[in-house]
Amino acid sequence: MTTYLTQELNLPLVKASNILTNFKGLAAFTPLVGALIADSFAGRFLTIIASSILYELGLVSIILSAILPGLQPPHCPAQENCKEASKLQLWVLYTSLLLTSLGLGGLRPCIVTFAADQLGMSKREMESRNWNFFNWYFFCLEFASLAALTFVVYIQEHVGWGWGLGIPALAMALSITVFIVGSSYYKKQKPEGSPLIRLAQVIGAALRKRKEVAPADPGVLYENNELDAAISSNGRLLHTNQFKWFDKAAVVTDTDNPYSNPPNLWRLSTVHRVEELKSIVRMLPIWASGILPITAYSHQESFSIQQARTMDRSLSPSFKIPPATMSSFEIISILIGLLLYEQLFVPFARRFTKKLNGITSLQRIGMGYAISIFGTLAAALVEIKRRGVAANHDLIGNPAAIIPISVFWLVPQYWIQGTALALITVGRIEFFYDQAPESMRSTSASFFWIAIALGNYTGTLMVSLIHEYTGKGGGKNWIPNRNLNNGRLEYYYLFVSGLQLANLIYYMICTKFYTYKALEEVSEGGMEAGDAELTTNRTPSGSMGDGHDNGETMK
């Protein structure tokens, strides 16, 4: 899309990068809406189907933008004095991006949780598999991305944008058909009302009883297993000592009628529902730590592609690597990182930690945050080298010139960033799925994408401000619109490296004080037929614990 906007629609680099970042931000914010629809009334299955159709309409509309002559400006190979796309042409683009964003709103939070529901993600079920579902899910996702960044990008560059955009549309249509055909085999969890309303009810009840004193003995707080059965099929959340102010919502007073079915939930909440709210509140600081890394990375892909366009991309006298294909090195790094992590690192770490996943999801995320800093530092060093070669060959003032430096100098920054993403992406989605209340897993998965949305919007603001103010007072603009050689992109990379370092320090503080949820699980096994084993699990489910836990197990 960076290539399409800058080469086909003739948009300036900063404007094109901001459009894509805003699109990525919107596409990362809509999952909250899609997740609430799925968790509240539609269910994940129907939400996936409806969202897939919207996404397909978006793909079809962008094909029309690419193949109809009236929807494109005059071609401008020299990239000087180009006529930009008109408002009408841009609005067709915006419409297609909006439809795909709405489609992604239902797909992103529901597909991964729907797939996990088919397998079962309780501690007993995970131990029986001895492999990590989220690793393999993202491995398949990145493998598909690799196909897009090699085969599809090659078609776009050498055959045309009609076919280059048509192939993803055909693939999406096929995927919708296959998904519907398999519908009779799926486990479909029934939605149990809006999770936001339940959270609001707990807050409302606590506010009404703000003058009450929470009891020292949590055993006297209100519980109703029958009322909570539909939202706790995998086990009830147990009382924790954090955020005890919310416990007031479960205090039974003389004005309450706990024997009514159901009670007035705006006045009286169960312990399980109070703990749902506590779980979400505990996750928020960890969630917030994902915003700045996305801010730092939001424009790096666009800028790296523009760097690649100025470098020697020849593999033979007749073949050049398309600039967008350079992102495939990041995908390959992710694929190799996921395989090595699953096959080598986890068994090795398990010997020492005795944890099912080797290390906890929080430790995995922290490792990724630390590695990503080196990715942007490598990008800064490569940009210094690239501009130095351009200056030595007197090519600074020529935006269309090919600088005699191999494009493979960009591989280290892609490789390091891919390794970091293999740790961060899987770790964060695993953390949100594991620590969210089971009735809010789609909503919790959307948190992952909302952090991406806020990071992209913040990145847009940051790049716009840097572009506007760095060129004032006679200084060089760090991020010029047309001629990257006249900029100081390395300063931008060093700046975002500092942001990432500050975020890593913040994240380490958050994890030190994080408390995992306490879950009472009912599992079969080890007893006579017809009996069940009740396990109250106060350690992190899936053996993912590096925060505080209560260390208590009862059978």
Side-chain angles (χ1 to χ4, degrees):
M1 290 305 298
T2 300
T3 301
Y4 182 72
L5 266 60
T6 57
Q7 303 297 310
E8 301 297 319
L9 298 185
N10 299 332
L11 298 182
L13 173 60
V14 172
K15 182 176 181 180
S17 185
N18 282 341
I19 287 175
L20 292 182
T21 304
N22 288 333
F23 156 63
K24 289 189 290 185
L26 177 62
F29 186 75
T30 53
L32 176 60
V33 179
L36 290 175
I37 291 173
D39 283 343
S40 300
F41 60 88
R44 290 169 192 148
F45 176 73
L46 292 178
T47 303
I48 291 172
I49 292 178
S51 301
S52 297
I53 293 172
L54 281 175
Y55 191 83
E56 179 68 13
L57 291 175
L59 294 178
V60 171
S61 62
I62 201 170
I63 293 173
L64 296 178
S65 171
I67 64 176
L68 296 180
L71 297 180
Q72 289 191 328
H75 193 51
C76 183
Q79 287 297 293
E80 291 184 334
N81 302 317
C82 301
K83 182 180 179 181
E84 294 184 25
S86 66
K87 290 184 178 180
L88 173 63
Q89 293 163 345
L90 286 177
W91 273 110
V92 174
L93 172 72
Y94 296 154
T95 300
S96 65
L97 295 180
L98 175 62
L99 287 171
T100 53
S101 296
L102 294 175
L104 288 171
L107 295 175
R108 282 176 162 171
C110 293
I111 287 181
V112 62
T113 50
F114 187 78
D117 290 342
Q118 310 311 304
L119 298 173
M121 296 299 290
S122 69
K123 183 179 180 181
R124 174 179 58 86
E125 291 167 320
M126 290 173 65
E127 288 175 340
S128 67
R129 287 195 296 269
N130 201 30
W131 52 272
N132 189 314
F133 160 73
F134 295 103
N135 272 342
W136 289 107
Y137 173 84
F138 279 100
F139 180 88
C140 294
L141 200 65
E142 296 300 332
F143 189 82
S145 298
L146 180 62
L149 287 170
T150 51
F151 172 69
V152 176
V153 167
Y154 179 85
I155 295 296
Q156 290 170 352
E157 290 271 337
H158 295 86
V159 179
W161 284 95
W163 277 107
L165 295 171
I167 290 173
L170 291 173
M172 187 66 195
L174 178 62
S175 75
I176 298 172
T177 304
V178 172
F179 182 73
I180 294 175
V181 168
S183 62
S184 60
Y185 298 97
Y186 303 144
K187 300 175 186 176
K188 301 172 185 138
Q189 291 191 353
K190 182 181 178 182
E192 297 296 337
S194 171
L196 293 187
I197 290 180
R198 288 202 302 277
L199 298 182
Q201 287 172 335
V202 174
I203 295 173
L207 286 173
R208 286 176 180 269
K209 299 175 181 178
R210 58 188 178 277
K211 296 183 179 179
E212 298 290 334
V213 178
D217 179 12
V220 303
L221 295 173
Y222 179 63
E223 296 194 44
N224 188 326
N225 294 348
E226 182 180 354
L227 178 64
D228 292 334
I231 58 174
S232 59
S233 58
N234 291 336
R236 291 184 300 113
L237 292 173
L238 301 176
H239 179 268
T240 58
N241 291 322
Q242 274 189 319
F243 312 118
K244 296 191 70 172
W245 185 85
F246 291 124
D247 290 346
K248 297 180 179 183
V251 173
V252 181
T253 65
D254 294 338
T255 59
D256 294 322
N257 183 9
Y259 302 106
S260 62
N261 191 23
N264 183 351
L265 295 176
W266 290 97
R267 300 188 64 92
L268 181 63
S269 292
T270 64
V271 170
H272 176 84
R273 292 168 187 249
V274 171
E275 291 301 321
E276 282 188 327
L277 176 60
K278 288 184 181 181
S279 295
I280 297 299
V281 173
R282 278 195 295 264
M283 291 165 62
L284 289 179
I286 302 294
W287 165 81
S289 71
I291 297 175
L292 270 182
I294 298 301
T295 300
Y297 185 66
S298 59
H299 287 66
Q300 184 174 342
E301 186 173 15
S302 297
F303 296 156
S304 296
I305 289 174
Q306 290 303 106
Q307 287 175 293
R309 188 170 295 282
T310 69
M311 302 169 78
D312 181 9
R313 296 178 278 114
S314 300
L315 285 183
S316 71
S318 60
F319 181 80
K320 290 185 178 181
I321 301 174
T325 299
M326 290 301 297
S327 298
S328 63
F329 288 102
E330 181 180 292
I331 304 299
I332 294 171
S333 174
I334 293 174
L335 292 174
I336 294 176
L338 290 172
L339 284 175
L340 293 178
Y341 186 89
E342 179 80 12
Q343 300 300 318
L344 297 180
F345 179 78
V346 170
F348 175 77
R350 193 182 291 148
R351 297 178 183 177
F352 301 96
T353 64
K354 309 302 180 184
K355 297 182 185 296
L356 176 65
N357 292 331
I359 59 175
T360 69
S361 56
L362 291 181
Q363 290 169 338
R364 180 175 186 167
I365 295 167
M367 287 172 58
Y369 285 167
I371 292 173
S372 67
I373 299 174
F374 295 98
T376 48
L377 288 175
L381 295 176
V382 171
E383 175 59 13
I384 293 172
K385 174 69 175 179
R386 189 195 68 85
R387 286 186 66 256
V389 174
N392 291 337
H393 289 80
D394 199 24
L395 297 174
I396 291 293
N398 188 351
I402 300 299
I403 301 171
I405 177 174
S406 173
V407 74
F408 292 107
W409 275 85
L410 296 174
V411 171
Q413 65 196 59
Y414 280 115
W415 200 266
I416 296 171
Q417 194 63 41
T419 302
L421 289 175
L423 296 168
I424 296 170
T425 304
V426 179
R428 281 179 66 81
I429 198 68
E430 186 177 48
F431 171 78
F432 289 133
Y433 185 92
D434 180 73
Q435 289 301 295
E438 67 176 83
S439 62
M440 299 178 62
R441 278 176 172 160
S442 293
T443 303
S444 177
S446 72
F447 292 173
F448 173 85
W449 296 105
I450 293 171
I452 293 176
L454 294 176
N456 277 303
Y457 287 136
T458 307
T460 297
L461 176 62
M462 180 181 70
V463 166
S464 297
L465 291 175
I466 289 174
H467 174 71
E468 181 178 355
Y469 290 105
T470 54
K472 291 186 175 181
K476 277 196 172 184
N477 196 315
W478 291 7
I479 313 171
N481 265 324
R482 294 292 180 185
N483 189 353
L484 203 61
N485 300 331
N486 279 329
R488 299 306 299 261
L489 190 60
E490 66 272 19
Y491 290 173
Y492 167 80
Y493 286 138
L494 292 173
F495 176 74
V496 297
S497 296
L499 291 180
Q500 290 173 298
L501 178 60
N503 185 75
L504 177 62
I505 295 172
Y506 162 79
Y507 175 78
M508 293 172 65
I509 295 172
C510 291
T511 56
K512 180 176 178 60
F513 295 100
Y514 183 76
T515 300
Y516 282 86
K517 71 180 184 183
L519 180 67
E520 179 183 72
E521 291 183 332
V522 178
S523 60
E524 300 288 342
M527 301 184 72
E528 296 181 4
D531 292 333
E533 182 181 19
L534 178 65
T535 302
T536 302
N537 178 24
R538 288 185 178 270
T539 59
S541 61
S543 299
M544 296 186 293
D546 60 339
H548 302 283
D549 60 73
N550 297 315
E552 177 184 339
T553 301
M554 298 181 294
K555 292 186 180 179

